[in-house]
């Protein structure tokens, strides 16, 4: 990465990351980057786990601040203007710089010698990984404690990038979601399965495809997955279709809807299924979930280095 564009950005626009009304908030910049990278305000909102009007407001505020249009909007696609292209090149580098600065400060100031801070998304904290962590604690040879942080995919990546957690276990449908300046170790590639109630019309199927699911309703507890970490939802997105979803507060509530036949749910094939009253059906797709461990390469604490080496030793092959 060249140093001059970043240096020039800081000098010419000294207030660009300010938090006041006249400055550019970091969340505004992240919204712009998400729209640029996904080509859609709706997809950007899903990536950042917010609502589409929030993304639209952020981009509009940014355009007013800069005094130029960053995107050309159409009914089918959002295309960056020449100004948007120019802004993205340096803004994306600047966000990397901010994340690295945050990480450097946190990693130096935190007392990490006996604490391992791990993040996960409930969708992908499978029994295999949980067993690894327990095995590491028992075999580490030093007294440690493990602090867990549950969050959605892009929040976890950002927490690793700015040093809030040591590493995270995530599943992605597209590995480019993970910034290249973070370390990563692929654990396994996996397919997905669909869970339905025993009286559901799909219960007798030996496998299902996207076509079979287009009119179904999906039930997810808490924060639902997105196309970035669900093969089924990625296939919906590629087909230009929107999946019907119900969000529940608890996993048991979502599972009950599935058991009754009112909804279905897709899960990674390696996930444990906490019910005997559902049918598990393989989902056919050209895509797979890439399940991997992601970490900040600036983290040199002894306990984390041991854990990273432990995970790599458990993994068949590196990324």
């Amino acid at each position: 990465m060249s140093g001059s564009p970043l240096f020039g950005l800081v000098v010419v626009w000294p207030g660009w990351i300010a938090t006041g009304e006249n400055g550019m908030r970091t969340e505004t910049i992240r919204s712009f980057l998400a729209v640029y990278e996904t080509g859609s305000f709706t997809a950007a909102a899903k990536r950042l786990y917010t609502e589409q009007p929030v993304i639209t407001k952020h981009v509009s505020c940014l355009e007013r601040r800069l005094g130029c249009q960053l995107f050309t909007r159409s009914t089918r696609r959002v295309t960056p203007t020449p100004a948007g292209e120019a802004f993205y090149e340096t803004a994306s580098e600047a966000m990397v710089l901010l994340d690295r600065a945050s990480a450097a400060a946190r990693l130096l100031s935190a007392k990490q010698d006996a604490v391992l801070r791990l993040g996960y998304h409930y969708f992908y904290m499978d029994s295999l990984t949980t067993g690894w962590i327990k095995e590491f604690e028992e075999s580490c040879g030093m007294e440690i404690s493990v602090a867990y942080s549950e969050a959605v995919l892009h929040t976890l990546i950002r927490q690793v990038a700015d040093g809030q957690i040591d590493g995270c276990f995530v599943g992605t449908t597209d590995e480019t979601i993970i910034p290249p300046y973070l370390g990563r170790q692929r654990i396994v590639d996996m397919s997905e399965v669909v869970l339905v109630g025993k009286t559901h019309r799909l219960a007798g199927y030996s496998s299902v495809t996207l076509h079979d699911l287009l009119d179904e309703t999906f039930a997810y507890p808490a924060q639902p997955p997105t196309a970035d970490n669900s093969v089924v939802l990625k296939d919906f997105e590629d087909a230009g279709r929107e999946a019907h979803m119900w969000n529940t507060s608890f996993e048991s509530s979502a599972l009950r809807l599935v058991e009754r036949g009112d909804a279905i749910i897709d899960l990674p094939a390696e996930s444990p299924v906490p019910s005997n009253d559902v049918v598990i059906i393989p989902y056919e797709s050209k895509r797979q979930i890439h399940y991997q461990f992601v970490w900040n390469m600036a983290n040199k604490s002894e306990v984390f280095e041991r854990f990273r080496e432990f995970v790599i030793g458990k993994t068949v092959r590196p990324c």
Side-chain angles (χ1 to χ4, degrees):
M1 177 192 316
S2 171
S4 55
L6 294 175
F7 180 78
L9 181 69
V10 174
V11 172
V12 177
W13 300 337
W16 86 288
I17 57 168
T19 57
E21 285 300 316
N22 295 324
M24 296 185 191
R25 300 174 183 268
T26 54
E27 60 264 32
T28 301
I29 305 300
R30 292 193 193 277
S31 292
F32 163 79
L33 297 177
V35 173
Y36 183 98
E37 291 168 359
T38 63
S40 163
F41 283 83
T42 301
K46 289 181 178 179
R47 170 176 288 195
L48 298 180
Y49 296 90
T50 187
E51 301 297 323
Q52 183 265 333
V54 174
I55 302 297
T56 300
K57 180 180 178 181
H58 284 172
V59 173
S60 296
C61 288
L62 185 58
E63 289 178 326
R64 286 197 300 271
R65 173 66 176 165
L66 295 175
C68 60
Q69 188 174 355
L70 298 174
F71 296 105
T72 299
R73 283 83 158 170
S74 70
T75 56
R76 301 191 63 182
R77 185 73 179 172
V78 176
T79 305
T81 63
E85 294 279 5
F87 187 76
Y88 176 81
E89 181 176 354
T90 304
S92 59
E93 290 182 343
M95 290 309 299
V96 170
L97 184 65
L98 286 172
D99 286 342
R100 286 179 172 173
S102 297
R106 286 191 170 98
L107 293 173
L108 284 173
S109 63
K111 295 180 180 180
Q112 306 168 67
D113 54 333
V115 178
L116 183 63
R117 302 166 302 166
L118 298 176
Y120 69 97
H121 184 277
Y122 78 93
F123 218 46
Y124 293 103
M125 195 62 171
D126 66 355
S127 55
L128 172 66
T129 305
T130 304
W132 285 1
I133 295 171
K134 183 177 181 181
E135 181 182 343
F136 174 75
E137 288 182 278
E138 294 173 348
S139 63
C140 182
M142 59 188 294
E143 186 135 347
I144 66 167
S145 61
V146 180
Y148 294 100
S149 174
E150 181 181 357
V152 293
L153 173 61
H154 289 275
T155 298
L156 290 172
I157 296 299
R158 190 157 66 246
Q159 288 177 342
V160 171
D162 67 14
Q164 294 182 53
I165 56 178
D166 297 316
C168 64
F169 292 94
V170 295
T172 67
T173 55
D174 180 1
E175 292 186 289
T176 62
I177 293 168
I178 301 172
Y181 56 86
L182 295 180
R184 59 180 176 171
Q185 181 76 17
R186 185 181 298 177
I187 296 173
V188 66
D189 288 338
M190 64 179 80
S191 58
E192 284 190 347
V193 295
V194 174
L195 273 55
V196 303
K198 291 183 176 180
T199 60
H200 193 278
R201 69 175 185 87
L202 298 175
Y205 284 46
S206 58
S207 65
V208 291
T209 64
L210 176 65
H211 177 76
D212 300 313
L213 307 181
L214 291 178
D215 296 322
E216 295 296 329
T217 297
F218 294 79
Y220 297 108
Q223 290 282 3
T226 69
D228 289 334
N229 62 351
S230 165
V231 169
V232 169
L233 297 184
K234 182 62 176 175
D235 286 349
F236 265 89
E237 181 181 86
D238 289 347
R241 300 291 294 268
E242 189 81 16
H244 305 290
M245 293 187 190
W246 285 345
N247 294 343
T248 67
S249 299
F250 304 100
E251 179 181 343
S252 58
S253 301
L255 195 59
R256 179 60 179 152
L257 289 171
V258 174
E259 290 172 342
R260 288 192 333 213
D262 296 332
I264 66 174
I265 190 170
D266 60 294
L267 291 174
E270 303 293 331
S271 298
V273 179
S275 174
N276 295 321
D277 296 320
V278 298
V279 177
I280 304 171
I281 309 171
Y283 175 69
E284 295 184 8
S285 174
K286 295 180 180 179
R287 295 185 177 276
Q288 286 187 309
I289 290 294
H290 310 295
Y291 184 54
Q292 49 204 310
F293 180 58
V294 179
W295 69 90
N296 192 309
M297 290 188 284
N299 191 343
K300 302 299 181 183
S301 73
E302 181 183 358
V303 66
F304 175 72
E305 279 292 296
R306 289 192 182 189
F307 183 70
R308 184 183 65 82
E309 292 174 1
F310 175 86
V311 171
I312 292 175
K314 286 287 188 180
T315 306
V316 176
R317 61 181 177 82
C319 292

